[in-house]
Amino acid sequence: MTDVLRPGEAARIASEDEAVSLDELRLAARNHGMPLEALRYDLTPPGLHYLLVHYDIPFVDPATWRLTVDGHVGAPLALDLTALRAYPAVSQVVTLECAGNGRARLLPRPVSQPWLDEAVGTARWTGTPLSTLLREAGVREDAVDVVFTGADHGTERGVEQDYQRALPAAEALSDEVLVAYEMNGAPLPPQHGAPVRLIVPGWYGMAQVKWLRSITVLAEPYTGFQNEVAYRVRASADDPGEPVTRIRPRSLMIPPGFPDFMTRRRIVSAGSVELSGRAWSGRAPLTEVTVSTDGGASWAPASLGPVAERYAWRSWSATWQAEPGDYVLSTRAADEDGPQPVDQPWNMQGMANNMTQQVPVTVR
Ligand SMILES: Nc1nc2c(c(=O)[nH]1)N[C@H]1C(S)=C(S)[C@@H](COP(=O)(O)O)O[C@H]1N2
Ligand SMILES: [Mo]
């Protein structure tokens, strides 16, 4: 199947009974999720962190790599890795999640990377605050957007491009955004953006530009593909939609018991079962996590673990008195702006989809 779309078109929508295609499988085999048992770690070991690469992982030589900061500034910069590392370093624990997480469970299914629930991971990111570099370059007062360009290149829906995303200048100048060169205390691995990537705490994955090579300040709004076409919540093909920005609340459960190889259905022993997992939201602080053991008919509160850092996931736990039978377990987070939906919040590209997880379990 060749799927050449015109620039500006949304992703193709699969027909209701259309199985996942080889094109989707090829993407899924390259871009892996975090196995949900890895929700146990406060910091996701890098090999278990989810991965999303639109094109190819570029081969970037750290010795010749340069980062330029230019555009609507007074004093453009060109930094090598030693110069970047010479600025005071800041570390932050941040949960990243792909905006397409949950897409494969939508009906009908937008055809793209077919995530179930697992496009998430948490790491300690270390680097230079972006605001330090922008101020050093003399960013102008009337800056509108700041554009970040990666070293990777490809075509997408007929548009040839470097991977490129913009942030509003006010967001780019907040103290939170990092130009990061370490993940969990080690240099960034190739797949996560070596030698340098952007970390925008609280925003969905598309903002976290990997293999960062240039930062350009604009005096006018940015209109590139990844902001104007790709990452939009659109109700229909001719809806210009709303931009995808901050992470909506989500809670995930560590699958209890042990799995069946083929279906991954869980098998649990009757009795008192400790359920636990992680919850996060980038748009507002969490207020509660609830758990259902009857397919969403009723919800009981879980106990929430401490807040470690604002943009890091929080642990939760709840006890279930399990009796023999078949169940669908579910968990639901709420933040100050409201709870996760239990029905699909459908949109053309399956973006920012935070429908509650469902975990089929047999108790015996
Ligand atoms: N240069 C570049 N940056 C990128 C991407 C990309 O394809 N190229 N993918 C983005 C998307 S869609 C996501 S979800 C995150 C994934 O980050 P990770 O692979 O480190 O988990 O990187 C973002 N940054
Ligand atoms: Mo993503």
Side-chain angles (χ1 to χ4, degrees):
M1 174 196 65
T2 347
D3 198 12
V4 180
L5 288 144
R6 299 277 62 77
E9 277 184 43
R12 191 174 68 80
I13 307 298
S15 54
E16 297 253 337
D17 57 353
E18 182 184 328
V20 166
S21 65
L22 281 182
D23 285 351
E24 288 164 289
L25 175 60
R26 192 179 301 108
L27 279 175
R30 291 179 54 81
N31 298 303
H32 62 78
M34 184 191 73
L36 292 184
E37 58 272 31
L39 288 164
R40 290 192 173 89
Y41 302 89
D42 291 336
L43 298 183
T44 313
L48 296 180
H49 194 284
Y50 90 95
L51 183 68
L52 196 293
V53 177
H54 280 231
Y55 314 130
D56 290 348
I57 298 170
F59 184 81
V60 183
D61 179 358
T64 55
W65 173 88
R66 296 290 181 277
L67 176 64
T68 56
V69 185
D70 58 17
H72 201 52
V73 299
L77 307 177
L79 304 168
D80 63 14
L81 211 46
T82 310
L84 182 67
R85 283 174 167 272
Y87 291 98
V90 169
S91 290
Q92 263 192 89
V93 178
V94 178
T95 295
L96 299 188
E97 183 180 13
C98 181
N101 203 11
R103 176 186 288 131
R105 296 196 295 140
L106 298 184
L107 259 180
R109 182 178 81 259
V111 177
S112 183
Q113 165 70 23
W115 295 120
L116 295 163
D117 295 303
E118 63 295 286
V120 66
T122 296
R124 181 185 303 282
W125 303 98
T126 302
T128 309
L130 173 64
S131 59
T132 303
L133 301 182
L134 290 173
R135 295 227 157 78
E136 175 108 350
V139 57
R140 308 264 195 221
E141 288 276 315
D142 58 341
V144 173
D145 279 340
V146 181
V147 184
F148 304 89
T149 307
D152 49 333
H153 190 88
T155 81
E156 205 165 333
R157 302 187 217 160
V159 182
E160 187 173 337
Q161 57 193 288
D162 294 337
Y163 187 86
Q164 192 173 68
R165 276 279 309 184
L167 271 184
E171 293 279 350
L173 282 162
S174 84
D175 292 340
E176 292 170 348
V177 182
L178 288 183
V179 175
Y181 42 75
E182 283 181 8
M183 180 184 195
N184 297 353
L188 295 185
Q191 69 274 27
H192 292 295
V196 169
R197 76 177 304 172
L198 197 67
I199 291 293
V200 188
W203 283 57
Y204 277 116
M206 74 285 151
Q208 325 287 337
V209 177
K210 302 193 274 190
W211 314 292
L212 183 63
R213 59 177 185 79
S214 76
I215 300 175
T216 304
V217 180
L218 299 186
E220 64 285 336
Y222 175 73
T223 57
F225 182 90
Q226 300 298 341
N227 283 71
E228 287 304 300
V229 180
Y231 289 93
R232 319 267 319 172
V233 175
R234 307 156 75 149
S236 62
D238 48 11
D239 172 12
E242 290 296 318
V244 178
T245 58
R246 288 182 171 269
I247 300 175
R248 295 178 181 176
R250 189 191 293 274
S251 177
L252 291 178
M253 183 181 296
I254 299 168
F258 58 84
D260 171 63
F261 169 68
M262 204 48 228
T263 63
R264 300 211 54 85
R265 185 180 184 87
R266 312 302 300 186
I267 295 140
V268 169
S269 299
S272 185
V273 178
E274 196 62 19
L275 302 175
S276 62
R278 305 274 179 174
W280 62 92
S281 171
R283 71 177 184 190
L286 290 176
T287 52
E288 68 165 3
V289 170
T290 51
V291 170
S292 173
T293 57
D294 54 12
S298 65
W299 297 87
S303 68
L304 258 179
V307 181
E309 294 191 29
R310 167 63 188 94
Y311 296 107
W313 58 24
R314 279 174 82 177
S315 59
W316 59 261
S317 62
T319 306
W320 175 35
Q321 299 305 332
E323 301 194 353
D326 287 341
Y327 299 86
V328 177
L329 308 188
S330 207
T331 170
R332 186 181 197 193
D335 67 14
E336 288 172 2
D337 292 349
Q340 267 183 265
V342 289
D343 298 320
Q344 59 174 6
W346 196 89
N347 62 76
M348 289 296 289
Q349 303 177 114
M351 295 296 186
N353 185 283
N354 62 336
M355 170 169 57
T356 49
Q357 178 193 21
Q358 302 207 323
V359 185
V361 173
T362 296
V363 179
R364 62 182 198 194

